[in-house]
Amino acid sequence: MLIQEKMKEYGAKVLTDVELISLIIGNVGRKESAVNVADKIMKNMPQEKLYYLGETCPEDLANVKGIGEKSALALCAAVELGKRKIGRASCRERV
């Protein structure tokens, strides 16, 4: 089952971190799949933790073989949206 089909059928919550990253970075080229590149990204994170992705700059992500500047920027933008959502949720809880 393709990742897109899996998400349509079961929702984003069932996808692994690598699968979610691969959807964000999209088609990365003929030599490697987006899943392989996403796996490389996670393996470059300290302790392979998703938390550290939010502390990574686009330039560092673009250094991962198979990911270009556009995909690196898209991934950083998605992480920033997540941070903002968490920030807003925290503010609502305090009110």
Side-chain angles (χ1 to χ4, degrees):
M1 176 179 280
L2 293 173
I3 297 169
Q4 294 90 336
E5 293 171 359
K6 187 176 173 182
M7 185 171 168
K8 285 179 188 177
E9 183 76 24
Y10 304 107
K13 290 182 180 185
V14 303
L15 299 180
T16 66
D17 295 341
V18 169
E19 289 172 328
L20 289 169
I21 291 169
S22 72
L23 284 174
I24 294 165
I25 62 175
N27 189 5
V28 293
R30 294 180 185 182
K31 294 183 180 181
E32 285 195 88
S33 70
V35 173
N36 288 342
V37 174
D39 190 53
K40 285 183 192 178
I41 290 169
M42 284 304 297
K43 287 186 175 163
N44 280 336
M45 297 298 114
Q47 303 165 3
E48 297 183 29
K49 300 283 186 184
L50 186 62
Y51 167 82
Y52 294 102
L53 185 59
E55 307 302 317
T56 304
C57 65
E59 295 80 15
D60 289 339
L61 290 172
N63 287 329
V64 174
K65 187 175 179 176
I67 188 168
E69 183 181 38
K70 185 177 179 180
S71 294
L73 290 170
L75 187 52
C76 288
V79 169
E80 179 60 26
L81 283 171
K83 286 180 180 180
R84 291 180 185 187
K85 185 202 181 297
I86 290 170
R88 288 186 186 130
S90 297
C91 291
R92 288 185 189 144
E93 290 171 6
R94 288 186 217 145
V95 174

